[in-house]
Amino acid sequence: MPPAKKGPKPFESGLRRIDHQSKVTTFLQANAINQKNYYTEYLKRDDQAMILRQLAEDLARAKEPKEKEDLKHNEDEMDIDDKDEQEEEAYGSKVIVIHPGSRNIRIGLASDPYPTTIPNVIAHKMSPIEVEQANNASPPFKSSSDEDFLHVKKLLSQDFKERMRFYKRRVASNSHDSVLSYNKRATPEDIPDHNDPYRIEWTDVSTAPNIIVGEKALKIPPLSNPRYRLRWPIKCGYFNETDYKSTRQLIGDLSIILEHAISTELNIPEKDLPSYSAVLVISDLYDKVQVTELIDMLFRELQFWKVGIIQESVAATFGAGISSACVVDVGAQKTTISCVDEGLCVVDSRVYLPYGGDDITLTLAKLLELSQFPYKELNLNYQYDWALMEEIKSKFATTNDAEITVQLYNFYQRTPGRSARKYSFKTFDEVMLSPMSYFFPDIFENENKLKDRHTLFERSNDIYDSTYNDPYSEAQISLYAQYVPSVDANLTLLQQQQPASATTPRASTKSNSLAHLQDETPTSSAAGTPAPEVAPAAITNLSAAAASLTAATGVAGALAGNAATRAAAGPSVQALSLALMNTRVAIQAPLDHAVIQSITQVSNVDEARGKRMYENIILVGGGAANIPAFNRLLEDRVAMWKGWGTGSVAVLPTPRDMDPMLLVWKGASVFVKLKIANEVWIGSRDWDLLGSRCLQYKCLFLY
Ligand SMILES: Nc1ncnc2c1ncn2[C@@H]1O[C@H](COP(=O)(O)OP(=O)(O)OP(=O)(O)O)[C@@H](O)[C@H]1O
């Protein structure tokens, strides 16, 4: 065969290619960069970030005259100290510290010793039809005869009995019968108005204001003329996306409540706010969009000069005057746990649980109902009845087992338009079972708590790869894997894509009691926490499956808080974990397990520090810390699940007899008076220019 002819190939069209030897472009063509030698300083130095450059300039400017003055006067050290203190106080009097909660807002000047607490609620005038429609839209409370409730109650009672036996407390076998027979026969006694020193002043709505805020809103008679509807802008620690139709409506309500608190409680007129700064206390596992919206509101609606933010756990340690602790904050509708080490929150130890004091109130009401509570018309949808049950909880709920015996109590029930009624009733274990349910959270009504999240406010997305980028915590992920059934479905899906070489750890089926721990310690899951023994069988199986996946994909290493192992666990697992965070599913992890999971993240990095955390647990917020002897119960249960003999556990009392509900606010007010606080202020100009991007430079945390 003859060799093929050399030369240009003809195009299919038959045209011939002519090589002109000319370049396609006259631009210089750069070669690809060799990544090995690539280095840039872009945004790596403080002086490249405008916001930090400005801060440095401001500080230098502020320092200059002071230095000159110092030289001129040459004051002795004592005087300077005094002056500093006075300066701090004067400075604090221009800073308003705001700690918004699901039920209460705590607000006050940083120079005040204590904040003012106002209910975080607003009432809007509406037509009766609108009010009825809104009421019908929210799901009613379940009854005390609900099967799930009764099932968990049985486990709870069993645990209570074992605890009493463990501490050798005598429980009379006929206690319940005696309570039932007394309550069945109890009849109320009418108290004429002139004999009732605590009669309620119901809010007068005859002038028909469009809105009523705070305490007054709670005292509007339910069938008033005109009618009003109550709205709580924060639910379970996040924006309440159930009761609002638009983001504007919610932000508007919040700013009205704050404005009202500032003008009526702090006596600061709205027009003066541009000369004040605000410090906002935010959750540890905060929602980025929510924080951004709140800061935006403080600048745009309330016109503050500067705004700073601080995390709850860090503020709590400032308030308690300690630099390292495991902070357990049980509020009205949410519980958060975080370890703070040397003033910084350990990011992987953060836990958020959507339950709190409100759940205890509801559980107590159901338990009393089962004990023939004599006030039969109790309707927790009415504010006055909710307040009554809260009062009964505050007065009689206890976890001090020495007090658990048949007790005779009384209360006054007040309804608008009727004179007060005095009821007597007996209780037995109801007063202890209700706070104990923090360790059996399946008893709570969890389904609707977070179900509307992100229906109004979007989830925060990374601007580069559009993945969800809300804060991430290994402790939280681990609890999700153990306690959220729907997570398991996703994990199983992932499992099918991974080599299944793992051994499945045995899920515990033991009772959640003290007694069996006298001679053995609980089985641990692969993630290093006790398995959820109280959970229904389905959840127990799911947690086993999740744990096996955890091992299969290497997430076990990731849960240890090691960033390298976490990265090695694979992007799919990480992406899934992130997607699961802050979803609408409520984790029903028991409080004791959650505390252990949080501290485990510290222990995995440094065992000695972990031990220190166990010995420095502080209980803040109103939901649990105010219940007598709850710190002892928590100590016992954490020690029990952690394993006897593996180090001591101590829940410290609130320092200086401070109200645990105010500790976080107090800490934030102390923080703003420190020099370091200078670095956290965001100016309105920074905010206008950079928006939420300035947060990464202005917060003492990054994740
Ligand atoms: N003496 C008491 N005994 C029991 N519970 C109490 C007592 N005093 C207050 N509480 C409960 O504390 C809860 C309010 O606590 P707190 O003010 O810390 O919550 P919050 O900050 O509004 O809510 P959250 O932290 O959930 O957003 C309520 O559930 C209330 O019933």
Side-chain angles (χ1 to χ4, degrees):
M1 208 174 135
K5 268 189 189 171
K6 281 189 181 170
K9 278 187 193 161
F11 286 107
E12 275 176 17
S13 63
L15 292 173
R16 288 167 67 89
R17 193 177 70 144
I18 301 161
D19 192 351
H20 293 294
Q21 298 290 316
S22 56
K23 287 182 181 173
V24 180
T25 171
T26 51
F27 281 99
L28 180 72
Q29 290 182 16
N31 291 328
I33 294 171
N34 180 351
Q35 294 292 325
K36 218 165 69 182
N37 306 323
Y38 181 70
Y39 178 74
T40 176
E41 289 217 320
Y42 181 58
L43 285 188
K44 284 195 178 145
R45 291 200 320 262
D46 281 2
D47 59 2
Q48 290 164 339
M50 188 198 79
I51 205 158
L52 298 178
R53 219 169 42 229
Q54 260 178 2
L55 176 72
E57 283 166 12
D58 288 352
L59 285 177
R61 223 173 296 133
K63 224 170 163 189
E64 231 168 62
K66 191 171 182 294
E67 275 170 3
K68 279 181 197 160
E69 213 177 276
D70 285 349
L71 276 174
K72 212 164 65 192
H73 295 298
N74 198 15
E75 293 159 320
D76 67 41
E77 235 168 75
M78 266 309 258
D79 286 352
I80 292 173
D81 279 354
D82 285 352
K83 209 171 147 201
D84 277 355
E85 241 167 59
Q86 282 165 10
E87 268 176 17
E88 270 178 14
E89 281 313 307
Y91 183 58
S93 66
K94 282 289 185 184
V95 180
I96 297 176
V97 180
I98 304 167
H99 181 200
S102 312
R103 286 279 171 187
N104 302 304
I105 290 190
R106 303 210 154 77
I107 190 165
L109 289 168
S111 52
D112 291 345
Y114 298 108
T116 303
T117 302
I118 68 155
N120 193 359
V121 65
I122 184 166
H124 285 266
K125 187 168 72 178
M126 282 184 189
S127 70
I129 296 172
E130 280 174 309
V131 176
E132 293 307 330
Q133 272 172 354
N135 290 347
N136 293 340
S138 42
F141 294 121
K142 288 186 193 158
S143 109
S144 59
S145 55
D146 177 75
E147 250 177 52
D148 291 341
F149 176 80
L150 292 175
H151 170 71
V152 189
K153 185 199 163 246
K154 216 163 132 190
L155 295 170
L156 191 53
S157 306
Q158 211 173 309
D159 193 84
F160 162 76
K161 280 183 201 148
E162 285 181 16
R163 184 178 169 86
M164 296 299 264
R165 214 173 302 138
F166 184 79
Y167 282 110
K168 305 206 170 25
R169 302 266 177 218
R170 236 180 67 81
V171 176
S173 57
N174 64 346
S175 306
H176 259 300
D177 296 338
S178 93
V179 168
L180 288 178
S181 69
Y182 180 89
N183 287 351
K184 248 187 234 168
R185 285 180 285 110
T187 48
E189 176 192 338
D190 276 335
I191 307 288
D193 275 357
H194 60 266
N195 276 349
D196 179 11
Y198 301 108
R199 71 174 169 276
I200 297 175
E201 292 297 333
W202 303 100
T203 304
D204 175 15
V205 292
S206 55
T207 56
N210 287 331
I211 49 166
I212 301 175
V213 178
E215 200 65 55
K216 279 193 165 175
L218 296 180
K219 299 212 173 119
I220 301 173
L223 298 175
S224 62
N225 183 17
R227 291 284 293 272
Y228 286 83
R229 184 188 169 205
L230 293 186
R231 279 204 296 237
W232 305 81
I234 296 186
K235 180 181 172 189
C236 294
Y238 295 117
F239 281 155
N240 179 352
E241 292 169 79
T242 307
D243 298 331
Y244 284 88
K245 290 205 175 75
S246 75
T247 54
R248 283 295 343 133
Q249 211 179 30
L250 191 149
I251 297 293
D253 274 6
L254 249 182
S255 71
I256 293 172
I257 297 172
L258 283 175
E259 227 175 272
H260 168 85
I262 292 170
S263 59
T264 59
E265 304 292 335
L266 308 185
N267 295 321
I268 300 171
E270 200 191 333
K271 67 173 177 40
D272 290 352
L273 287 185
S275 63
Y276 282 81
S277 307
V279 165
L280 182 69
V281 184
I282 61 166
S283 286
D284 297 308
L285 269 178
Y286 57 94
D287 178 316
K288 275 191 183 170
V289 168
Q290 184 167 321
V291 172
T292 309
E293 291 283 347
L294 286 172
I295 297 177
D296 208 61
M297 175 193 78
L298 294 175
F299 278 127
R300 300 199 203 288
E301 312 279 334
L302 299 175
Q303 307 275 317
F304 276 107
W305 178 40
K306 287 187 291 183
V307 174
I309 52 180
I310 181 171
Q311 281 172 296
E312 271 174 347
S313 62
V314 177
T317 51
F318 270 101
I322 45 179
S323 60
S324 301
C326 172
V327 181
V328 181
D329 183 347
V330 186
Q333 296 179 359
K334 75 159 186 353
T335 292
T336 54
I337 305 165
S338 295
C339 294
V340 177
D341 191 24
E342 303 298 341
L344 280 180
C345 172
V346 179
V347 288
D348 278 334
S349 71
R350 295 171 295 178
V351 170
Y352 161 86
L353 300 166
Y355 57 69
D358 278 8
D359 295 281
I360 304 304
T361 307
L362 185 56
T363 307
L364 177 64
K366 288 181 184 178
L367 292 172
L368 290 177
E369 197 184 323
L370 290 176
S371 298
Q372 300 288 336
F373 191 54
Y375 172 40
K376 301 286 179 217
E377 304 93 68
L378 180 82
N379 178 352
L380 292 179
N381 292 312
Y382 290 152
Q383 265 315 308
Y384 56 80
D385 275 354
W386 181 267
L388 171 71
M389 203 37 72
E390 290 258 298
E391 188 191 328
I392 291 176
K393 175 182 78 170
S394 304
K395 282 187 178 159
F396 312 128
T398 177
T399 49
N400 182 1
D401 20 57
E403 285 175 32
I404 307 302
T405 158
V406 175
Q407 303 266 14
L408 176 65
Y409 295 125
N410 56 48
F411 65 90
Y412 292 83
Q413 195 278 326
R414 297 177 179 89
T415 304
R418 202 176 70 183
S419 55
R421 286 181 179 171
K422 183 181 172 186
Y423 286 84
S424 299
F425 70 116
K426 278 191 177 176
T427 66
F428 170 51
D429 58 1
E430 303 84 352
V431 288
M432 177 137 173
L433 292 186
S434 45
M436 267 182 79
S437 48
Y438 282 128
F439 307 107
F440 294 78
D442 286 326
I443 205 168
F444 302 146
E445 296 188 14
N446 293 305
E447 305 81 43
N448 298 314
K449 286 178 175 173
L450 302 176
K451 84 172 179 18
D452 294 309
R453 275 206 74 203
H454 304 301
T455 49
L456 288 183
F457 294 87
E458 285 184 4
R459 285 179 72 171
S460 173
N461 284 321
D462 187 290
I463 49 168
Y464 295 109
D465 59 13
S466 304
T467 52
Y468 298 128
N469 69 351
D470 268 325
Y472 171 94
S473 150
E474 298 289 0
Q476 184 78 357
I477 292 294
S478 187
L479 290 172
Y480 261 106
Q482 291 180 68
Y483 293 96
V484 179
S486 62
V487 169
D488 188 71
N490 292 310
L491 289 171
T492 313
L493 208 92
L494 255 178
Q495 193 175 25
Q496 288 159 4
Q497 300 160 9
Q498 307 284 342
S501 59
T503 50
T504 310
R506 184 166 59 92
S508 168
T509 49
K510 283 184 273 183
S511 105
N512 188 15
S513 66
L514 267 178
H516 77 266
L517 288 158
Q518 277 177 284
D519 37 44
E520 51 180 329
T521 50
T523 311
S524 291
S525 75
T529 41
E533 73 312 319
V534 214
I539 296 185
T540 310
N541 295 338
L542 291 172
S543 77
S548 71
L549 169 75
T550 297
T553 55
V555 186
L559 293 178
N562 175 336
T565 351
R566 192 194 305 172
S572 52
V573 175
Q574 202 170 353
L576 173 73
S577 314
L578 281 172
L580 294 173
M581 293 286 295
N582 300 331
T583 54
R584 296 167 193 167
V585 188
I587 310 183
Q588 298 162 34
L591 185 61
D592 42 3
H593 292 191
V595 170
I596 293 175
Q597 184 56 258
S598 171
I599 300 182
T600 300
Q601 300 303 324
V602 179
S603 304
N604 284 341
V605 178
D606 183 340
E607 209 172 313
R609 276 183 196 199
K611 270 192 168 171
R612 261 205 323 270
M613 291 296 162
Y614 278 115
E615 287 161 3
N616 285 286
I617 299 174
I618 54 172
L619 196 54
V620 301
N626 281 326
I627 295 170
F630 192 85
N631 54 343
R632 241 187 37 222
L633 178 64
L634 183 64
E635 252 170 37
D636 277 357
R637 298 196 65 100
V638 171
M640 154 181 120
W641 285 111
K642 176 176 163 285
W644 300 122
T646 57
S648 56
V649 176
V651 179
L652 307 179
T654 327
R656 300 183 292 260
D657 288 334
M658 269 215 50
D659 181 343
M661 290 199 276
L662 309 182
L663 200 74
V664 169
W665 183 93
K666 184 73 195 165
S669 76
V670 170
F671 171 79
V672 293
K673 288 184 270 178
L674 301 180
K675 290 215 166 68
I676 190 174
N678 278 332
E679 298 185 14
V680 303
W681 292 116
I682 301 165
S684 56
R685 212 177 120 238
D686 303 337
W687 189 254
D688 286 343
L689 211 61
L690 298 169
S692 60
R693 273 173 297 164
C694 49
L695 288 178
Q696 63 171 310
Y697 297 111
K698 291 292 186 170
C699 306
L700 298 179
F701 51 87
L702 287 172
Y703 303 100

